[in-house]
Every structure is written in structure tokens, then in C-alpha cells.
Amino acid sequence: MEALFIYLIKSSGLIVLFYLAYFLMLRKETFFTSNRWFLLAGLITSVLLPFVFITKIIWVEPASNPINWSNIPMTNYTEEKTFEDYLPLLTALAYGIGTLLLLGKFAFDFYSLNAVLKGKSIQQQADFKFIDTKENVAPFSYFNTIVYNSALYTASELENILEHEKVHSEQNHTIDVLISRLFCIVFWFNPFIWLYKKAMLQNLEFIADSEATKKISDKKAYQITLLKITTHENCVAITNHFYQSLIKKRIVMLNKNQSKKWNSWKYALVLPLLAAFVFLFQVKTIAQEKTNQNASKSVLDVVTTINKNFSDEELKKKAEFFKKEFNCDLIFSEIERNSSKEITGITVNYNGNLYGNGTYKQHSNSTIKDIYIKHKGGKIDISDAEIDANIKTSSSDKMLSIDKEIFINGEKVSQNDMDKLDPDEIERMDVNKKNDQQEIRIVTKKFHKTITENDIYIDGEKADKNELLQLDQNTIDKMDVNKKEKTIRITTKTNTQTFNDTDIPTPPTPPKFPDGPMPVAPPIDMSKLPSPPAHPSNVKDKKAMAEFERKMKEFEKKMESFEPDMTTYEKEVEEVMAKREQIFEKEMTKYEDAMEKYRDALEKRNN
């Protein structure tokens, strides 16, 4: 679910990037066909680029003193889920409902289109199918089908309209319309996708107008035809229809001088922005441990350790390693364990043509001392005294470590478990080496998020994440995780020895900023929406046309004043926020006083 949300956010960001690039740099240019491919490329890029990643390898130094979470007793409080826990599910539900509603609208539009086309007489001319309908609909094209009502227009007007619709059909503009509709369904929550769709459809009209006027001798008559059908509102969705809003812009673009070719450089400006997106959001970092490049490549010297906590499976792996690397039979027998499953007695035998035979025994009432098995210069040596030896690389120049412990989120796991882990889930990987010991500690993104999002307290004092990581693991006695309060409270052994758990004062909880309902924004009364003036039926009547232009100016002024006054609403919001700030400041003062008392109580107990 989280991966889907991240993908939608990244794609939405790319859609915004391409729209702003078009709006700020290209919309006033007359490169209509190039703009079409730019806008389509923007949509395709927005869905594909989030899948493209660059792998970055970081060579890390061995980590020092990592915390062994597996040795720390933890208490997890089981709390009821809060609203924040259900927020991802509610968000997904809202997104799904919105998508389904728009899909239903999309299907209904197809049904409406089919109702218009069904049962109509079709006249085939070249590659086009013409349908002369009696229904009161604006002329439109759907792929190679052109629908119009000849009774509504004169012969010259109909010729202009058909030339316009032929361009839509020839250049397959219906595909652009369908693609824009599908993107609106998937990214409906992004307001820029609706602006993007509007820009695409408007640019298609610019293309059709530009190409149609090349075949029409009377360019002025074509513009008059645009004005005549401006108020025609019966349009079929998911089609290219001759009527479009913003007729004024179409007429302006028809009469605009052609853009200079050197302005085409503007298309390249989006490339550095896409590169920045990739390097900021599409880089996968892989941590790898630095190796000793100057180590000897001749003889392989290895020291491995066996301690009291070794399981039978781990002993078996040691034997398998010696058999594979040195063709030496290492046999563990007479293994004795106490009630804690710690080894109290063991016998080690080794034999082989190269190494001869040897036996080592250690049996006692207590647990065994660490056993060191050394291979050096073609000889095997076993002792309970620490052996000073150097770890060297093999002929493959690859670092070899026999004793390797792997921890994922503090839990000890096997090599197989680490291999199964998805690299995309890893937030951090630390490798700690000392002599023949190698320890790999992996923190997943989910576990890292838990540590980052919670307040950390060490012996009652608030601490940051770095202090937690630097804390000596041997001093930790207990760690409590409270999901509801979003806190991690750590008690050290020193603090436990000095005081009982019941004597440790509980730190005060910081106040939250007050919430509650906000003032309601003023509603927009759509009944007061001004109506546009009717276009004169006779465009040659200068007096009527002058009156129409005067009314259009009045209509534009009314539209500007139609926007609601937000001054009172903004003032109400400021008053509410000011009151909440006063309440919060008072609570913060109480909290600071409580913290002073809490610190004093801690100092008295420590002294």
C-alpha cells in the first residue's frame, strides 16, 4: 500500500512538472504539433520514470559498538489502534471510491456516445464516416466518424466545421482525449491533471484550427463560424467536438504570427528537471564493506572461535567449512549442556592426510572456555588460549570470515534469512569486524521508522537517536515501547540497582496543539452566476454586434465580482488560531514547570 502511494505521489509530481513547463514556456508558442507530443510524452514519462532507479554503492567502515537488541528485554504495550493507524486504509478507501466513480462516469459517457451513433445512417467518403443527425448536438468526431446536424448551419459554415473535424480524425486526436480521461481517473486527486487535460484538449483545437484554415479560403468566415456556435452547450464527452470554451484564445492563436524556430530550445529545459528528479528520488543506495586491498594473496590463515552458546547447527556449519576449505574432517562429539543449553563439555577431533590426527577435550562443571581453532601454514591447532593470528585473503582476493553473526532488527538470524530479505526494505546495514569475528547488523525501514518516530527516554531523561546508538548495550536492563504515547523508555542496570522501578518518576507528557473545527468557508451561490449574453443571429448587423461586445464586457466584470469575499473568513481563522495558541502557551508553561519538578526529583534520587 505504501509503495502504491509513493508511486502515485512521484507520478503526480512529474505531471505538475510537465504542466508548469508547458504553461510557463510553451502555451503561447505556435508549435501546436510539437506541444501535442510534449504533453503526451509528459504523461508517459510520469508513469514510467518512477520505475527507473540508479544504484549507488557506498563503501562503509565497520561499525563500532552496535547495540545488540536481541539481548535487551523489551515490554510491548498492547494498545487500541488510533485514528492514525487507520489513516492509510481510509486514504486507500477514499482513493478507490473516487476512482470507481470516475470509471462509472467514463463508462456512462461511452454509453451516451453509443446512443448517439446507434442506428444512424452512415455516409462513407474516403477514410471518413459522416453521420447527419437530427439531434441538437455540437459537431464532433470520434476516430474516423464525424457527426453533425446540417439543419443548424449554412453550407459554408458546415464546410468549415467538417474541415475542422477531418483534422481531428486524420491525426487521431481521439486517442489523446481518451488518454487524458484515463489519467484523470487514476490521478483524480491531483488538481493539476485536470488543468493538464484542459491544456491537451485546447492544444488539439489549435492544431485543428491551424490545419483547417490552410484548406479554407475565407479565414474570417471560419472565425465567424466559431463565434456563432460559442453558446452551443450540447457536447458529447470523450470526443473531439467543434465547440470548445475559450473561443477567444482560439481566434487569437489563429491570427498570431508563427513562432520562431529557435524558440524550440524551450523543450530541452525539462531535461535537467527530470535529471534532478532522478538523482533526488530515484537513487537506491547499497552499502558494502571496505576490504583490505593490500592483504597477502598467498597463504590462507584463519582463526575461528567456538563459545559456550554455540548450537548444534552452528557446530555443524564449522565442520562443513573446514571440510570444504581445507579437506579436513572436524568432528564434534561428547557435547554436554546445562539447563540453559550452554556447552559444559565437548570433544573435538580432526584428521586428514595433510593435517594428521588430533584430539582436543574440555569438560567441567561450569561452562567451557572459548575454544580457538587455528589454520596456519598447512597446520591445525586447537587451544582454549587466545591465538594471535592475522586474517588474510584467499587467492580470489575476497575477505574470508568464518565467525559471522547476522542480526536483523536486533534478532539473530541465519544467512538464509538475510538472503531472503528484500534489499528495498533495508534502511541501514553495519558491518563490524575484529580479528576473525564478523558481525552484520541490518535495520529495516519499518524498524528504523519506529525508532525515529518515537520519543526516546534513557533513565527518565529525554535523549536523541544518536545517544541511543552510543549507549553501551551491556548497561541496558529493560526497554519499554509504548505505542500510544509514542515513547521508548530505557532503564539502565545502574539506575535499576540504585532505585526500584516504582521509585522512578514518570516524566510529564508534553501538550499537543489544540485542535477542533475550523470556521466554514463562505459558500458560493451558483444561482447568482451571471449568464453570458446571447450572440446575435446576424453577425453582419454592426449595431447588434456592438451591443453584444458591450454586454460581453459587462459579463466579464460580473464574473470577476462573482468570486466570494474571503476577508471575513480569513479573519475568523486567525482569531481561532490565536485562541488556540494562547491555550497551548499556557499548557506549555505548566509542562515546563512539571519538567523542572521532574528534573529536581531525579537529581535528589541520584544524589
Side-chain angles (χ1 to χ4, degrees):
M1 188 71 70
E2 183 181 357
L4 175 62
F5 288 159
I6 293 174
Y7 171 79
L8 291 175
I9 291 171
K10 287 182 178 180
S11 295
S12 295
L14 288 170
I15 289 172
V16 174
L17 187 152
F18 273 92
Y19 175 76
L20 292 179
Y22 171 80
F23 183 82
L24 298 175
M25 298 184 295
L26 301 172
R27 68 185 173 96
K28 294 183 179 180
E29 303 294 340
T30 58
F31 307 130
F32 304 132
T33 301
S34 298
N35 284 348
R36 177 194 180 189
W37 299 121
F38 177 85
L39 291 169
L40 282 174
L43 294 180
I44 296 171
T45 302
S46 68
V47 296
L48 295 182
L49 193 58
F51 291 109
V52 178
F53 288 93
I54 296 176
T55 302
K56 179 181 179 182
I57 298 177
I58 297 179
W59 297 96
V60 296
E61 298 289 347
S64 58
N65 195 28
I67 294 178
N68 187 349
W69 299 98
S70 61
N71 293 334
I72 302 173
M74 299 179 63
T75 303
N76 291 296
Y77 289 91
T78 303
E79 301 288 349
E80 294 183 0
K81 289 188 176 182
T82 62
F83 175 76
E84 293 179 359
D85 296 315
Y86 292 103
L87 188 58
L89 180 61
L90 294 175
T91 304
L93 184 62
Y95 173 76
I97 292 174
T99 304
L100 288 175
L101 289 175
L102 290 173
L103 277 173
K105 177 65 168 59
F106 191 52
F108 178 77
D109 290 339
F110 268 109
Y111 174 80
S112 300
L113 174 64
N114 184 64
V116 173
L117 300 179
K118 188 176 182 181
K120 300 296 190 296
S121 176
I122 299 176
Q123 183 180 359
Q124 184 80 36
Q125 292 184 14
D127 295 330
F128 305 105
K129 297 178 180 179
F130 294 93
I131 297 178
D132 188 356
T133 182
K134 295 181 180 180
E135 297 182 23
N136 184 21
V137 295
F140 68 88
S141 61
Y142 182 71
F143 289 103
N144 66 336
T145 301
I146 299 175
V147 180
Y148 59 92
N149 186 343
S150 59
L152 300 177
Y153 312 102
T154 64
S156 60
E157 291 171 346
L158 187 60
E159 180 184 358
N160 295 336
I161 292 172
L162 293 181
E163 287 297 336
H164 178 96
E165 296 302 330
K166 285 179 181 179
V167 176
H168 283 312
S169 295
E170 288 173 345
Q171 299 190 11
N172 294 314
H173 288 177
T174 303
I175 296 176
D176 300 51
V177 176
L178 294 176
I179 290 175
S180 65
R181 281 292 299 269
L182 290 174
F183 269 79
C184 285
I185 292 172
V186 177
F187 298 97
W188 61 266
F189 56 88
N190 182 3
F192 281 90
I193 192 60
W194 302 97
L195 298 175
Y196 204 108
K197 173 195 170 188
K198 182 180 178 181
M200 287 184 66
L201 300 185
Q202 191 178 88
N203 185 68
L204 294 179
E205 296 304 319
F206 293 159
I207 294 174
D209 290 338
S210 177
E211 295 297 322
T213 52
K214 292 178 181 178
K215 303 176 183 179
I216 296 173
S217 57
D218 193 346
K219 191 174 182 179
K220 184 177 180 181
Y222 183 86
Q223 297 177 39
I224 293 174
T225 303
L226 289 179
L227 288 173
K228 179 178 179 180
I229 62 172
T230 298
T231 55
H232 200 153
E233 298 180 354
N234 294 330
C235 304
V236 179
I238 64 172
T239 61
N240 298 109
H241 41 80
F242 189 76
Y243 164 73
Q244 281 281 353
S245 59
L246 304 174
I247 295 295
K248 182 179 178 181
K249 287 187 178 181
R250 292 174 59 182
I251 295 177
V252 169
M253 297 305 284
L254 274 173
N255 294 280
K256 189 173 182 179
N257 294 329
Q258 294 295 308
S259 300
K260 296 179 180 179
K261 289 185 178 180
W262 68 271
N263 284 343
S264 299
W265 64 268
K266 294 181 179 181
Y267 291 105
L269 289 179
V270 76
L271 296 178
L273 298 177
L274 294 177
F277 172 85
V278 171
F279 285 107
L280 287 174
F281 305 108
Q282 299 299 107
V283 177
K284 281 186 178 181
T285 302
I286 298 177
Q288 291 190 4
E289 174 198 359
K290 290 182 178 179
T291 59
N292 184 5
Q293 299 295 332
N294 298 321
S296 171
K297 299 183 181 181
S298 56
V299 181
L300 180 64
D301 296 347
V302 175
V303 176
T304 183
T305 307
I306 296 173
N307 58 47
K308 62 183 180 181
N309 296 315
F310 264 50
S311 64
D312 293 342
E313 182 66 23
E314 290 172 317
L315 292 174
K316 181 181 178 182
K317 288 182 179 180
K318 294 290 185 185
E320 290 174 351
F321 171 80
F322 270 81
K323 182 66 176 177
K324 179 180 178 182
E325 296 295 331
F326 311 119
N327 194 25
C328 174
D329 293 321
L330 200 62
I331 302 170
F332 300 97
S333 60
E334 300 178 2
I335 301 172
E336 301 171 357
R337 298 181 183 273
N338 57 21
S339 58
S340 300
K341 296 186 178 180
E342 297 172 326
I343 300 176
T344 59
I346 190 172
T347 298
V348 185
N349 294 283
Y350 65 88
N351 58 75
N353 295 331
L354 179 63
Y355 307 102
N357 299 315
T359 301
Y360 171 86
K361 292 185 178 183
Q362 189 183 152
H363 294 269
S364 65
N365 294 328
S366 60
T367 57
I368 63 170
K369 297 179 181 179
D370 289 354
I371 301 173
Y372 299 90
I373 305 175
K374 176 183 177 183
H375 170 271
K376 186 174 183 180
K379 295 182 179 180
I380 294 290
D381 185 20
I382 304 177
S383 173
D384 56 13
E386 186 172 358
I387 302 169
D388 182 16
N390 295 323
I391 305 297
K392 299 181 180 179
T393 59
S394 65
S395 57
S396 63
D397 198 25
K398 181 180 179 182
M399 183 62 72
L400 179 62
S401 175
I402 312 172
D403 287 335
K404 178 167 66 177
E405 291 184 319
I406 303 170
F407 296 87
I408 298 179
N409 297 335
E411 181 182 357
K412 190 174 181 180
V413 298
S414 65
Q415 176 73 42
N416 189 38
D417 293 328
M418 186 178 75
D419 293 339
K420 292 179 180 178
L421 186 64
D422 186 354
D424 292 338
E425 297 178 3
I426 297 176
E427 174 70 24
R428 173 178 173 181
M429 182 173 68
D430 297 329
V431 181
N432 185 26
K433 278 201 318 174
K434 186 176 180 181
N435 294 331
D436 64 323
Q437 298 286 336
Q438 186 183 54
E439 187 177 66
I440 300 175
R441 292 193 170 273
I442 298 173
V443 178
T444 63
K445 291 181 179 179
K446 185 176 182 181
F447 188 77
H448 180 265
K449 183 180 180 183
T450 301
I451 297 177
T452 305
E453 293 183 349
N454 288 276
D455 293 328
I456 302 169
Y457 294 90
I458 300 176
D459 292 335
E461 292 285 347
K462 190 170 184 180
D464 57 24
K465 186 174 64 173
N466 291 330
E467 290 178 273
L468 173 61
L469 295 175
Q470 293 172 6
L471 186 65
D472 185 358
Q473 59 178 312
N474 295 321
T475 65
I476 299 178
D477 179 68
K478 185 175 68 172
M479 182 168 68
D480 296 336
V481 180
N482 191 315
K483 185 176 180 182
K484 186 175 182 180
E485 296 181 2
K486 292 187 176 181
T487 59
I488 298 176
R489 300 185 183 275
I490 297 175
T491 305
T492 62
K493 294 178 181 179
T494 304
N495 195 67
T496 306
Q497 293 170 359
T498 307
F499 314 109
N500 294 326
D501 290 344
T502 55
D503 294 332
I504 301 175
T506 303
T509 303
K512 294 183 179 179
F513 194 85
D515 56 5
M518 296 294 292
V520 180
I524 300 176
D525 189 357
M526 297 304 293
S527 63
K528 295 182 180 180
L529 179 68
S531 301
H535 193 279
S537 57
N538 185 6
V539 295
K540 295 182 179 180
D541 187 344
K542 295 183 178 180
K543 184 177 180 181
M545 287 299 296
E547 179 66 16
F548 172 72
E549 291 179 358
R550 184 186 66 80
K551 290 182 179 180
M552 279 297 296
K553 291 181 180 178
E554 293 178 355
F555 170 70
E556 291 175 357
K557 290 181 180 179
K558 290 179 181 179
M559 285 298 296
E560 292 176 357
S561 62
F562 178 68
E563 183 179 350
D565 185 7
M566 301 294 288
T567 305
T568 304
Y569 171 71
E570 292 173 355
K571 186 177 180 181
E572 291 176 352
V573 172
E574 290 177 359
E575 290 176 354
V576 171
M577 294 305 295
K579 290 180 181 178
R580 292 181 182 179
E581 286 177 3
Q582 291 178 358
I583 296 172
F584 180 71
E585 288 175 359
K586 290 180 181 179
E587 294 297 323
M588 278 300 296
T589 302
K590 295 179 182 179
Y591 170 72
E592 290 171 357
D593 293 339
M595 281 299 297
E596 286 294 330
K597 294 178 181 179
Y598 169 72
R599 293 191 188 99
D600 292 341
L602 282 179
E603 289 179 2
K604 288 179 181 180
R605 286 175 171 80
N606 291 332
N607 297 331

